[in-house]
Amino acid sequence: MSLVRDIMTIAAVSAGALFFLAGTVGLLRFPDTLTRLHALTKADNLGLGLVVLGLLLQAGNLRDGLKLIGIWLLALLAGATVSQLIARTARQGEAAK
Amino acid sequence: MTDFLTAAVGFILAMLALGLVSILRGPGETDRMMAAQLIGTAGIAALLLLGTVGLVPGAVDVALTFALLATFASIAFVKKGRSSLQADESGSTEDK
Amino acid sequence: MSIATVFEIVLAAVVLILGIWTIAVRETYSATVGFIAYGLLVALIWVRLDAVDVALTEAAISGGLGGVLLLGAAARLQDAELTATEAPSKVTRVSAALLSSLTAAALASAVLFLPDSPPTLAPTVAGHAWATSLANPVTNVLMAFRAMDTMLEKVVLLLAIIGVWSLAPDDAWGGRPGLRHQADPNDILVFLARLLPPVGIVAGIYIFWTGANHPGGAFQGGAILASMWLLTVMAGLTDTPPVSRRWLRFVLIAGPGLFLIVGLGGLWFGAAFLAYPPALAKPLILGIEVAMILTIAATLGLLLTGAPERSEGQ
């Protein structure tokens, strides 16, 4: 049973790391601010979600698991809102040019 | 498991470094605003990995602090960036 | 070379290069962003070194509040930057570089040539944890064994806020710090400022409360509370209070004041200034910390909003 758990953790964390890689590649290759912001927010947050999923399987008790999920939801909320704010600033900057 | 998770932390940190290079080189100020967002997300992932496997037990609390303060820093970046100050119509009542 | 070593090398390299970039870049705004990023990454280093209390403080202060303070300063200096015509002379620059390199070399050699078993008080501190029945050795040192230093630090914070207030122009004396931010009710920032502070307040109190037995403490908790209050101010949901209000000034002195009272109580009823009887140590310490967290949150928040700029009536 714990072997299955370990395999699933490894799989989830690897998938999460892959999405971090995808986000970074997008950050490096996309041409302008808005697309880069998109790559950063979407891919990195998904990567974080998968990492949290993998770590949930290793968490000892309910309290630790709830803490992990809470932090992930917080990061999600923050990421969604801040990316909108940055995008608005980028749009206004372009309009002013 | 510990070795794998440590490797995962190292990988995510390398991705963080590459992302930082791209952001900090980026042509405009708006690009720099993304830095706190990047470090927030990747940093939380790294800290949770370090914390859950038992390498450093208190790291999960640091991840919680990161989440809140990286958000706060990002909003401050947006509010106090030059491009945002120029683009604002409401002149004297906006922030400094 | 183990995986852990590779990871440490990557982390150290990133932090060093980021530090060099922060110094070398031209625009102040970019340098401030680099500084905040640097602060957050150094917090990761502290976690790696097993110093979680320091990591919390580094993330909260240099990554969050201190960085935002610099941002505000950079924004104010924006116009001055564009018109600056003076640059430091070559002699100044070379001697600054020389001095910095010498200091760095001295620090590096001190760290590299540490004796194999460095002198440490950690076992003594761990052995005396019975005196306060708190399990976190950092809290024990801060609040019991070196409580005098902590009390004086809070007085320093008080002096800092008085210093900042003294910069107020005459017509704004005793008024509200900072300018009023506009809040469009449908704005997404307002949405975040309504949703995040309750969570942040719970998190701040949690970090404070868990400091008794796990890494944490009043200072880090207070910094989180301050950042949540500043978020509502930046979104325009609340306004900064006028600095002449009595309740505000009372909150600012509550922390060091209570500390002082407990200290004098130790002098009169006990063995020495700031002595706690072991039976009452935990409730006394927690009581002082509650007052301290309010003071720290208020002081840090007010330090970031700056000197009063609007008179009380506005």
Side-chain angles (χ1 to χ4, degrees):
Chain A
M1 188 55 212
S2 100
L3 181 63
V4 174
R5 239 182 355 158
D6 280 355
I7 292 181
M8 285 171 65
T9 299
I10 293 182
V13 171
S14 305
L18 198 66
F19 274 101
F20 270 106
L21 176 65
T24 307
V25 167
L27 202 52
L28 286 168
R29 303 273 304 168
F30 280 157
D32 73 330
T33 308
L34 286 175
T35 45
R36 286 163 55 161
L37 182 61
H38 187 97
L40 171 65
T41 315
K42 300 283 188 335
D44 274 14
N45 270 304
L46 183 55
L48 178 63
L50 284 169
V51 166
V52 166
L53 186 61
L55 291 176
L56 268 179
L57 296 165
Q58 297 284 325
N61 45 27
L62 183 64
R63 197 187 104 158
D64 289 344
L66 284 178
K67 227 200 237 189
L68 283 173
I69 295 184
I71 293 179
W72 173 59
L73 286 175
L74 207 52
L76 219 51
L77 170 69
T81 320
V82 167
S83 62
Q84 289 283 330
L85 287 172
I86 299 179
R88 193 204 313 164
T89 310
R91 186 54 76 83
Q92 282 175 339
E94 276 171 30
K97 278 186 204 163
Chain B
M1 177 57 62
T2 310
D3 271 350
F4 167 73
L5 288 177
T6 314
V9 178
F11 181 73
I12 291 181
L13 277 177
M15 294 299 104
L16 172 65
L18 283 176
L20 266 184
V21 164
S22 162
I23 283 183
L24 295 176
R25 216 181 35 173
E29 242 177 39
T30 325
D31 296 85
R32 316 290 164 85
M33 293 181 192
M34 298 195 272
Q37 168 83 326
L38 168 67
I39 297 186
T41 318
I44 293 177
L47 285 168
L48 288 179
L49 281 167
L50 281 173
T52 308
V53 80
L55 283 174
V56 183
V60 181
D61 289 336
V62 185
L64 179 60
T65 313
F66 253 58
L68 292 169
L69 283 148
T71 312
F72 174 63
S74 302
I75 293 179
F77 286 161
V78 171
K79 273 261 168 186
K80 294 185 198 263
R82 185 173 311 185
S83 32
S84 99
L85 282 178
Q86 279 171 351
D88 259 321
E89 303 91 14
S90 53
S92 68
T93 42
E94 229 343 4
D95 52 344
K96 276 205 178 161
Chain C
M1 197 181 290
S2 74
I3 295 183
T5 317
V6 173
F7 145 61
E8 285 169 9
I9 292 179
V10 168
L11 187 53
V14 172
V15 172
L16 269 177
I17 296 178
L18 183 58
I20 294 174
W21 180 84
T22 306
I23 298 174
V25 78
R26 297 211 163 269
E27 304 95 43
T28 315
Y29 178 79
S30 309
T32 317
V33 172
F35 178 74
I36 294 181
Y38 172 81
L40 291 174
L41 287 175
V42 169
L44 280 180
I45 292 185
W46 289 127
V47 169
R48 182 59 192 167
L49 291 175
D50 264 322
V52 181
D53 298 80
V54 186
L56 282 171
T57 314
E58 180 83 39
I61 302 297
S62 109
L65 293 176
V68 173
L69 191 64
L70 285 178
L71 266 183
R76 277 175 212 262
L77 288 174
Q78 221 165 264
D79 299 322
E81 209 173 271
L82 293 173
T83 57
T85 46
E86 238 182 69
S89 73
K90 192 121 198 191
V91 174
T92 314
R93 282 205 239 167
V94 166
S95 29
L98 208 57
L99 201 58
S100 314
S101 317
L102 281 177
T103 314
L107 284 172
S109 59
V111 169
L112 285 173
F113 295 129
L114 272 178
D116 265 335
S117 56
T120 171
L121 284 173
T124 320
V125 168
H128 280 82
W130 58 265
T132 55
S133 60
L134 296 175
N136 183 3
V138 175
T139 307
N140 276 336
V141 170
L142 284 178
M143 295 301 296
F145 305 143
R146 301 292 306 198
M148 178 73 122
D149 295 339
T150 312
M151 183 183 87
L152 292 177
E153 281 161 16
K154 302 302 164 273
V155 174
V156 167
L157 274 182
L158 189 58
L159 291 175
I161 191 71
I162 293 177
V164 168
W165 285 354
S166 69
L167 295 172
D170 279 344
D171 54 346
W173 195 258
R176 297 175 188 270
L179 294 177
R180 170 89 196 185
H181 294 242
Q182 297 292 64
D184 171 11
N186 293 321
D187 198 14
I188 193 162
L189 181 56
V190 172
F191 167 71
L192 186 65
R194 283 187 214 271
L195 203 48
L196 197 58
V199 178
I201 290 175
V202 171
I205 296 179
Y206 161 70
I207 299 256
F208 151 61
W209 194 254
T210 193
N213 298 321
H214 300 287
F219 197 72
Q220 297 92 330
I224 294 180
L225 292 181
S227 67
M228 290 298 110
W229 178 70
L230 286 167
L231 186 55
T232 55
V233 169
M234 283 200 288
L237 286 178
T238 52
D239 202 2
T240 51
V243 300
S244 56
R245 291 281 177 268
R246 269 187 216 284
W247 63 266
L248 181 64
R249 298 183 173 189
F250 179 70
V251 168
L252 287 178
I253 63 170
L258 187 58
F259 224 139
L260 191 60
I261 291 174
V262 170
L264 290 173
L267 194 58
W268 280 323
F269 299 117
F273 185 66
L274 281 175
Y276 312 127
L280 286 178
K282 192 163 179 179
L284 276 177
I285 290 179
L286 286 180
I288 295 177
E289 284 203 299
V290 169
M292 256 176 39
I293 193 177
L294 291 174
T295 300
I296 291 170
T299 311
L300 289 176
L302 285 171
L303 277 173
L304 257 82
T305 50
E309 287 172 40
R310 289 174 279 152
S311 68
E312 285 185 60
Q314 290 176 328

